[in-house]
């Protein structure tokens, strides 16, 4: 009887030590293995996180990180998979994740507790906050200067809520122009339909760098919000989530994250903040 128990324990221990690909796949991992493809939701104008290049292909910092997750998924399911891209915007990204249309959302999305009621997130990959983009000659230096002026805001963003809250708190009269995404917001500013556009400060610098007249614009004001970016994944799928966490933790441990960061932010002159460096260190979990 004792011998049987020892043998059974050894068999169970050996089973628990099998590689992930040899174990039964569930949830998204099973779906991806069966379909032979992973579906990535991507932004089209969130420079330098996720945007379309001259060949209309998704590229950027977050896209590169998502490709590392894809490699980890392939290793877990034991086969190569095709990547299918689906464009998303601030109004559609959470719904498309929640209803299962996309498997990863690779853009410039803030992780907050309200959104975690519908979706989940991988570790933090960037930290930013809401600021204001305006023309240098507009006279706008802070949110207080928006009184009597118009600002474009992307619907469904944390920035929209932050600016509206600040405007309401200060009792300002500000015209709000809802826009679909950053490209539309920048166009509204460039064509003088509004006096300002607001989103995360790093994205504003990206919009300036892509403008035909970058010297005409400036990012102004104090931070109106705290926005930690993260790759969005389905809620209630711990196996798929863990695969992504392992992939990113490996980047943080090895220091490869620094090379990927420099590739996209170096040309913009945006160095890692001490807070972001600390986030990478804290999230470099051991295997």
């Amino acid at each position: 009887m004792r011998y049987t128990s020892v043998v059974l324990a050894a068999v169970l221990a050996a089973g628990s030590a099998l590689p992930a690909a040899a174990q039964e796949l569930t949830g998204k991992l099973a779906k991806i293995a069966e379909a032979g493809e992973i579906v990535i939701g991507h932004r089209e104008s969130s420079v330098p996180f996720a945007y379309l290049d001259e060949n209309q292909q998704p590229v950027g910092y977050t896209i590169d990180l998502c490709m590392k997750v894809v490699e980890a998924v392939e290793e877990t399911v034991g086969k190569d998979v095709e990547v299918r891209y689906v464009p998303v915007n601030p109004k559609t990204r959470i719904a498309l994740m929640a209803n299962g249309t996309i498997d990863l959302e690779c853009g410039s999305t803030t992780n907050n507790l309200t959104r975690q009621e519908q979706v989940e997130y991988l570790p933090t990959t960037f930290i930013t906050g809401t600021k204001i983009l305006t023309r240098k000659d507009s006279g706008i230096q802070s949110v207080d200067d928006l009184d009597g002026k118009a600002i474009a805001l992307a619907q469904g963003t944390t920035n929209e809520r932050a600016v509206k809250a600040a405007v309401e708190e200060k009792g300002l009269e500000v015209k709000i122009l809802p826009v679909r995404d950053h490209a539309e917001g920048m166009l509204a500013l460039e064509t003088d339909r509004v006096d300002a556009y607001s989103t995360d400060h790093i994205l504003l610098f990206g919009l300036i760098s892509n403008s035909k007249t970058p010297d005409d614009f400036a990012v102004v004001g104090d931070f109106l919000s705290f926005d930690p970016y993260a790759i969005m994944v389905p809620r209630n799928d711990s196996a798929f989530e863990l695969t992504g966490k392992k992939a990113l933790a490996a980047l943080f441990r090895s220091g490869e994250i620094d090379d990927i960061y420099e590739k996209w932010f170096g040309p913009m002159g945006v160095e890692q903040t001490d807070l972001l460096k600390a986030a990478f260190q804290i999230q470099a979990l051991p295997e």
Side-chain angles (χ1 to χ4, degrees):
M1 193 72 176
R2 179 183 177 87
Y3 174 76
T4 303
S5 298
V6 171
V7 171
L8 178 59
V11 170
L12 291 175
S16 65
L18 289 174
Q23 297 180 17
E24 182 178 357
L25 300 174
T26 61
K28 280 289 184 185
L29 291 174
K31 170 183 171 292
I32 291 167
E34 181 179 358
E37 74 169 12
I38 185 167
V39 184
I40 289 181
H42 68 92
R43 298 293 293 275
E44 297 178 287
S45 59
S46 289
V47 180
F49 296 91
Y51 61 99
L52 298 178
D53 65 10
E54 61 274 10
N55 298 315
Q56 298 301 295
Q57 295 299 309
V59 296
Y61 172 71
T62 314
I63 297 294
D64 279 2
L65 298 183
C66 279
M67 289 303 100
K68 295 296 183 179
V69 175
V70 171
E71 290 175 9
V73 168
E74 290 178 327
E75 183 177 351
T76 301
V77 302
K79 62 188 292 187
D80 292 339
V81 299
E82 295 293 325
V83 175
R84 179 161 62 90
Y85 289 105
V86 173
V88 300
N89 61 52
K91 291 191 67 176
T92 63
R93 56 188 171 181
I94 293 177
L96 291 177
M97 178 62 70
N99 68 18
T101 301
I102 59 177
D103 303 318
L104 291 170
E105 193 268 336
C106 307
S108 52
T109 299
T110 300
N111 180 359
N112 64 34
L113 296 175
T114 300
R115 289 174 173 174
Q116 286 188 31
E117 295 176 0
Q118 301 180 70
V119 298
E120 191 50 82
Y121 292 86
L122 298 183
T124 298
T125 54
F126 195 80
I127 299 173
T128 183
T130 303
K131 282 200 173 188
I132 297 168
L133 175 64
T134 187
R135 291 188 180 275
K136 290 180 178 178
D137 59 3
S138 69
I140 298 173
Q141 294 297 322
S142 70
V143 69
D144 299 272
D145 299 320
L146 291 175
D147 198 29
K149 299 186 183 300
I151 186 170
L153 297 172
Q155 295 176 284
T157 62
T158 56
N159 317 106
E160 179 187 33
R161 292 197 297 272
V163 171
K164 286 183 174 179
V167 166
E168 182 178 354
E169 180 184 356
K170 295 174 180 293
L172 306 177
E173 292 293 330
V174 180
K175 179 182 177 181
I176 305 293
L177 175 66
V179 295
R180 187 179 69 92
D181 56 21
H182 305 312
E184 188 177 330
M186 185 63 177
L187 180 62
L189 178 58
E190 289 177 321
T191 55
D192 297 321
R193 294 173 59 204
V194 295
D195 303 290
Y197 176 62
S198 182
T199 187
D200 295 331
H201 90 295
I202 187 62
L203 299 178
L204 296 178
F205 285 113
L207 291 173
I208 290 175
S209 68
N210 277 3
S211 171
K212 294 179 180 178
T213 57
D215 293 338
D216 291 350
F217 301 97
V219 178
V220 301
D222 296 328
F223 283 110
L224 301 177
S225 67
F226 166 68
D227 292 270
Y229 285 179
I231 295 168
M232 188 160 48
V233 294
R235 194 165 183 260
N236 298 324
D237 195 331
S238 58
F240 184 68
E241 181 184 342
L242 180 59
T243 300
K245 285 181 175 178
K246 286 180 176 179
L248 294 185
L251 293 182
F252 301 149
R253 284 197 310 271
S254 68
E256 187 179 354
I257 187 64
D258 298 325
D259 297 330
I260 298 174
Y261 185 97
E262 180 62 25
K263 172 184 174 182
W264 295 103
F265 295 97
M268 298 174 64
V270 179
E271 297 182 355
Q272 292 184 34
T273 62
D274 290 340
L275 184 59
L276 184 59
K277 290 177 181 178
F280 289 160
Q281 282 188 302
I282 291 169
Q283 296 172 135
L285 302 178
E287 291 184 294

